[in-house]
Amino acid sequence: MTSHRLDVGLAARTYPIHIAPGLLADEALWAPWVEGRSVVLVTNETVMPLYGEALVAMLGPRARSIHTHVLPDGEAHKTLAHFEAILSTMLAAHCDRKTRVVALGGGVVGDMAGFAAACYQRGVDVLQVPTTLLSQVDSSVGGKTAVNHPLGKNMIGAFHQPSAVFIDLHTLATLPERELSAGLAEVIKYGCILDLGFFEWLEANMSRLMARDPDALAHAVRRSCELKAEVVAGDERETSGLRALLNFGHTFGHAIEAGLGFGTWLHGEAVGCGMVMAAELSQELGQLGLPEVQRIRALVRAAGLPITPPAWDASTFLDWMAHDKKADAGAIRYIVLRGLGSAELRPVPAEVVARAIGASQATA
Ligand code: NAD
Ligand code: GLY
């Protein structure tokens, strides 16, 4: 297994994604990013003992100064209060405009540290160092940063691209099984919306991925990052509709997450089930055949993800989905497939959505 580099092409703000096993200990790679800078490592209480302490020991002698901010673990702490606490650490440490924030952890840490970097003195650099599969294939790339508000998930945030993304594939070894499956949901998403060949590769290799075969995981992370980088380069701020396609399964998924209470289902679990529902919706619209819906359902199930939504009536789903960020003048828009490997964003009449919800609930 070799190391790999690809770029997110954003003209003068183009940045690299480095993917390699053992990259966290690669001093030569890290040195130019921290030398002469004050560094703030933001992580959480789970990741700090696993990977943070060794990283601080390695970077300490290289950096001008190093400070750590250790968050409590969990989506429940992705709040304005904890965001403010990161900024307080940076202020107390006299961080300046050249400070580099290092976000070490899953998507919660990455989103919060990225948002703090976006806001501290109107913006300092952030290195994203994702340690979950979900964050390696999705949240660390593309510059979306945010915290939650009691009235909505990820509602307070900023676009702030990292200066680089460092992905150490070895960190996947310690990931709980449920979190591995949650990350696979986002991997499957890329195949569904953008790349039939990758979807087919996933069908053939899902058991290797579930067994954490290093080569299979490396391929899945690399291909996902390539696809995400292309989308971000083509529509950085989600204005043309291209980047919105990355929300395939998320409209239904967010409704499940919010309706059940955040944390009941993991984000990736809700997205997995949401993709099956979006596939049903695509079939209702005559854009996807039954065999393709069945293939998506089988792949999501093989990844250890739920495929049957809660038994709510359709109006409950529609109410939760009305808060979706893709809503346009109050009309909910959905990402639907036009065959496997191709997707579009479009409004859909509520009665068609209701039929798709019913069909998903009826199939176990
Ligand atoms: P997470 O950050 O909560 O991490 C999941 C769990 O794994 C946590 O308990 C964490 O401490 C633990 N963990 C992290 N790395 C580990 C490792 N190597 N070994 C053992 N345990 C480890 O969840 P996530 O799934 O990584 O991210 C979800 C978050 O990402 C959500 O808040 C979501 O909104 C956000 N997100 C953001 C984007 C984006 O574009 N910015 C995209 C998708 C999701
Ligand atoms: N995860 C969706 C996006 O980055 O746009």
Side-chain angles (χ1 to χ4, degrees), residues 138-139 141-142 144 186 189-190 228 232 238 243-244 246-247 250:
D138 191 352
S139 61
V141 176
K144 280 190 182 175
E186 304 285 5
K189 170 187 83 179
Y190 293 114
K228 176 124 191 201
V232 171
E238 209 167 304
R243 186 163 180 173
L246 296 176
N247 285 309
H250 287 57

Short mmCIF file of all heavy atoms in Angstrom, two decimals, residues 138-139 141-142 144 186 189-190 228 232 238 243-244 246-247 250, ligand 2:
data_model
loop_
_atom_site.label_atom_id
_atom_site.label_comp_id
_atom_site.label_asym_id
_atom_site.label_seq_id
_atom_site.Cartn_x
_atom_site.Cartn_y
_atom_site.Cartn_z
N ASP A 138 -15.39 12.30 3.36
CA ASP A 138 -16.39 13.35 3.12
C ASP A 138 -16.09 14.65 3.85
O ASP A 138 -15.66 15.65 3.25
CB ASP A 138 -17.79 12.82 3.51
CG ASP A 138 -18.92 13.72 3.05
OD1 ASP A 138 -18.64 14.83 2.56
OD2 ASP A 138 -20.10 13.33 3.18
N SER A 139 -16.25 14.67 5.19
CA SER A 139 -16.33 15.97 5.86
C SER A 139 -15.03 16.76 5.88
O SER A 139 -15.06 17.99 5.97
CB SER A 139 -16.85 15.80 7.29
OG SER A 139 -16.01 15.00 8.06
N VAL A 141 -12.94 17.18 3.49
CA VAL A 141 -12.66 17.76 2.16
C VAL A 141 -13.79 18.70 1.79
O VAL A 141 -14.96 18.34 1.91
CB VAL A 141 -12.55 16.62 1.10
CG1 VAL A 141 -12.36 17.20 -0.29
CG2 VAL A 141 -11.42 15.67 1.45
N GLY A 142 -13.47 19.90 1.39
CA GLY A 142 -14.51 20.76 0.83
C GLY A 142 -14.85 21.99 1.62
O GLY A 142 -15.57 22.86 1.15
N LYS A 144 -16.68 22.77 4.32
CA LYS A 144 -17.90 23.09 5.08
C LYS A 144 -17.59 22.94 6.56
O LYS A 144 -17.12 21.87 6.99
CB LYS A 144 -19.05 22.15 4.70
CG LYS A 144 -19.74 22.53 3.41
CD LYS A 144 -21.01 21.69 3.24
CE LYS A 144 -21.71 22.01 1.94
NZ LYS A 144 -22.86 21.13 1.69
N GLU A 186 -21.46 7.01 3.19
CA GLU A 186 -21.03 8.12 2.33
C GLU A 186 -20.23 7.60 1.13
O GLU A 186 -20.27 8.18 0.05
CB GLU A 186 -20.21 9.14 3.14
CG GLU A 186 -20.91 9.71 4.37
CD GLU A 186 -22.01 10.74 4.08
OE1 GLU A 186 -22.33 10.97 2.90
OE2 GLU A 186 -22.57 11.30 5.05
N LYS A 189 -22.68 6.42 -1.35
CA LYS A 189 -23.31 7.61 -1.95
C LYS A 189 -22.59 8.02 -3.24
O LYS A 189 -23.23 8.29 -4.25
CB LYS A 189 -23.26 8.75 -0.92
CG LYS A 189 -23.65 10.10 -1.43
CD LYS A 189 -23.40 11.16 -0.38
CE LYS A 189 -21.96 11.64 -0.36
NZ LYS A 189 -21.70 12.70 0.64
N TYR A 190 -21.24 8.06 -3.19
CA TYR A 190 -20.50 8.50 -4.39
C TYR A 190 -20.78 7.58 -5.58
O TYR A 190 -20.93 8.03 -6.70
CB TYR A 190 -18.99 8.53 -4.12
CG TYR A 190 -18.57 9.58 -3.12
CD1 TYR A 190 -18.05 9.23 -1.88
CD2 TYR A 190 -18.69 10.94 -3.42
CE1 TYR A 190 -17.66 10.20 -0.96
CE2 TYR A 190 -18.30 11.91 -2.51
CZ TYR A 190 -17.79 11.53 -1.28
OH TYR A 190 -17.41 12.49 -0.37
N LYS A 228 -15.09 13.56 -4.48
CA LYS A 228 -15.48 14.76 -3.72
C LYS A 228 -14.67 15.96 -4.19
O LYS A 228 -15.21 17.07 -4.33
CB LYS A 228 -15.31 14.53 -2.22
CG LYS A 228 -15.62 15.80 -1.42
CD LYS A 228 -16.66 15.67 -0.37
CE LYS A 228 -17.07 17.03 0.17
NZ LYS A 228 -17.68 17.00 1.47
N VAL A 232 -16.20 19.52 -5.45
CA VAL A 232 -15.91 20.78 -4.76
C VAL A 232 -15.24 21.76 -5.72
O VAL A 232 -15.55 22.96 -5.73
CB VAL A 232 -15.04 20.51 -3.50
CG1 VAL A 232 -14.53 21.80 -2.89
CG2 VAL A 232 -15.84 19.72 -2.47
N GLU A 238 -21.77 25.37 -3.44
CA GLU A 238 -23.09 24.77 -3.66
C GLU A 238 -24.03 25.75 -4.34
O GLU A 238 -25.17 25.93 -3.93
CB GLU A 238 -23.65 24.29 -2.32
CG GLU A 238 -24.58 23.10 -2.47
CD GLU A 238 -24.88 22.42 -1.12
OE1 GLU A 238 -23.94 22.02 -0.43
OE2 GLU A 238 -26.08 22.28 -0.81
N ARG A 243 -22.78 20.42 -6.19
CA ARG A 243 -22.39 19.97 -4.85
C ARG A 243 -23.60 19.47 -4.05
O ARG A 243 -23.46 18.59 -3.20
CB ARG A 243 -21.67 21.10 -4.10
CG ARG A 243 -21.12 20.63 -2.78
CD ARG A 243 -20.07 21.54 -2.19
NE ARG A 243 -19.62 20.99 -0.93
CZ ARG A 243 -18.63 21.45 -0.20
NH1 ARG A 243 -17.94 22.50 -0.63
NH2 ARG A 243 -18.29 20.87 0.93
N ALA A 244 -24.76 20.02 -4.36
CA ALA A 244 -25.97 19.57 -3.64
C ALA A 244 -26.20 18.07 -3.84
O ALA A 244 -26.81 17.40 -3.00
CB ALA A 244 -27.18 20.37 -4.10
N LEU A 246 -24.25 15.78 -3.43
CA LEU A 246 -23.60 15.03 -2.34
C LEU A 246 -24.56 14.80 -1.19
O LEU A 246 -24.25 14.07 -0.25
CB LEU A 246 -22.37 15.79 -1.83
CG LEU A 246 -21.23 15.98 -2.82
CD1 LEU A 246 -20.13 16.84 -2.20
CD2 LEU A 246 -20.65 14.63 -3.24
N ASN A 247 -25.71 15.43 -1.24
CA ASN A 247 -26.71 15.24 -0.18
C ASN A 247 -27.69 14.12 -0.52
O ASN A 247 -28.75 14.01 0.12
CB ASN A 247 -27.45 16.54 0.09
CG ASN A 247 -26.59 17.52 0.85
OD1 ASN A 247 -26.03 17.17 1.88
ND2 ASN A 247 -26.45 18.72 0.34
N HIS A 250 -29.64 12.39 2.16
CA HIS A 250 -29.54 13.21 3.38
C HIS A 250 -30.86 13.89 3.74
O HIS A 250 -31.09 14.20 4.91
CB HIS A 250 -28.44 14.27 3.23
CG HIS A 250 -27.05 13.71 3.28
ND1 HIS A 250 -26.61 12.73 2.41
CD2 HIS A 250 -26.00 13.97 4.10
CE1 HIS A 250 -25.35 12.43 2.69
NE2 HIS A 250 -24.96 13.17 3.71
N1 GLY B 2 -21.10 16.54 2.65
C1 GLY B 2 -21.72 17.42 1.73
C2 GLY B 2 -20.80 18.44 1.18
O1 GLY B 2 -19.64 18.49 1.51
O2 GLY B 2 -21.21 19.22 0.40
#
